[in-house]
Amino acid sequence: GENVEQHPSTLSVQEGDSAVIKCTYSDSASNYFPWYKQELGKRPQLIIDIRSNVGEKKDQRIAVTLNKTAKHFSLHITETQPEDSAVYFCAARYRQGGKLIFGQGTELSVKP
Amino acid sequence: GAVVSQHPSRVICKSGTSVKIECRSLDFQATTMFWYRQFPKKSLMLMATSNEGSKATYEQGVEKDKFLINHASLTLSTLTVTSAHPEDSSFYICSARRSQGFNEQFFGPGTRLTVL
């Protein structure tokens, strides 16, 4: 069945350090992997996404890597800032109906 | 572009009443919309997929008679929580998927439902 595992559940870093969040998915036919940032009480915001025909994508301090063989994808945030503190969710688009299956979330805390 | 609105943002109701939540795509057409439920500090749990002009597809364990979904147009889907009980209290979020292009999903701001 469809499943996305996300680790770690909580992550605390010092300002300026890097943060890495990892996800694995179960359906080898998944072809789209977005990452969302959710601040308390607000909607999830798409911050970066990657398609299955690409191995890596970067947007300023944020990058995502995808290993289709291992069914892993990761979010990398460099030079973290306190405003990066939030809950981050990975997701994989399941082939049937195009629904997104979400990981469990990672609560990132960036300490000044 | 790609703005999704949800109404109401908060609702408090008595046990046994029904509550309707609206999800609108404001500047794009959305053949498909999704309804999620989120508990505090938890992930988004997909409840159902709403398709314009057809019956919604519910995820396993979600009662279709309890959570009525109607997708009457390409820009509007509604979720009605019928005979609400305190255990239905939660944060309900919709998302809308573009009909054109690569089908990115954009989320509404969510509705906080509290059932007394």
Side-chain angles (χ1 to χ4, degrees), chain A:
Chain A
E2 61 245 31
N3 190 42
V4 176
E5 294 288 332
Q6 182 172 347
H7 299 280
S9 57
T10 60
L11 178 60
S12 181
V13 299
Q14 288 295 131
E15 183 177 1
D17 288 350
S18 294
V20 180
I21 303 170
K22 299 182 179 183
C23 290
T24 59
Y25 59 98
S26 59
D27 180 18
S28 57
S30 296
N31 63 357
Y32 175 62
F33 308 91
W35 285 87
Y36 291 88
K37 175 183 179 182
Q38 187 179 28
E39 297 177 359
L40 189 63
K42 297 191 176 181
R43 77 183 84 193
Q45 296 274 14
L46 179 68
I47 57 171
I48 196 167
D49 56 13
I50 191 167
R51 304 178 192 182
S52 58
N53 60 347
V54 175
E56 184 174 357
K57 183 177 177 181
K58 190 173 181 180
D59 182 4
Q60 298 183 347
R61 297 187 296 110
I62 296 173
V64 57
T65 59
L66 172 65
N67 181 330
K68 284 195 301 181
T69 304
K71 291 188 280 188
H72 288 173
F73 58 114
S74 300
L75 178 71
H76 304 251
I77 306 174
T78 58
E79 300 172 32
T80 53
Q81 300 166 4
E83 49 266 38
D84 294 330
S85 297
V87 179
Y88 291 81
F89 293 99
C90 64
R93 184 162 70 187
Y94 190 60
R95 52 183 155 175
Q96 289 184 0
K99 62 185 179 183
L100 289 178
I101 304 300
F102 282 84
Q104 295 85 350
T106 296
E107 185 172 5
L108 173 64
S109 176
V110 180
K111 300 184 186 302

Side-chain angles (χ1 to χ4, degrees), chain A residues 2 31-32 36 38 41-46 49 51 89 93 97-105 107, chain B residues 4 32 34 36 38 41-44 46 49 59 91 93 97 102-110 112:
Chain A
E2 61 245 31
N31 63 357
Y32 175 62
Y36 291 88
Q38 187 179 28
K42 297 191 176 181
R43 77 183 84 193
Q45 296 274 14
L46 179 68
D49 56 13
R51 304 178 192 182
F89 293 99
R93 184 162 70 187
K99 62 185 179 183
L100 289 178
I101 304 300
F102 282 84
Q104 295 85 350
E107 185 172 5
Chain B
V4 178
T32 304
F34 302 90
Y36 296 85
Q38 188 176 33
K41 300 206 171 203
K42 295 293 183 183
S43 188
L44 294 101
L46 180 65
T49 302
E59 294 299 301
F91 193 51
I93 309 179
R97 190 175 76 191
F102 194 71
N103 308 142
E104 298 97 328
Q105 284 187 33
F106 300 93
F107 284 86
R112 173 75 58 193

Side-chain angles (χ1 to χ4, degrees), chain B residues 89-100:
Chain B
S89 299
S90 191
F91 193 51
Y92 292 87
I93 309 179
C94 70
S95 72
R97 190 175 76 191
R98 288 183 191 272
S99 300
Q100 305 295 326

Side-chain angles (χ1 to χ4, degrees), chain B residues 8 11 19 25 30-32 35 56 68-69 76 78 80 82 86 92 100 108 112:
Chain B
V11 58
V19 175
S25 57
T31 309
T32 304
W35 287 96
L68 299 178
I69 291 172
L76 173 64
T78 61
T80 301
T82 62
Y92 292 87
Q100 305 295 326
R112 173 75 58 193

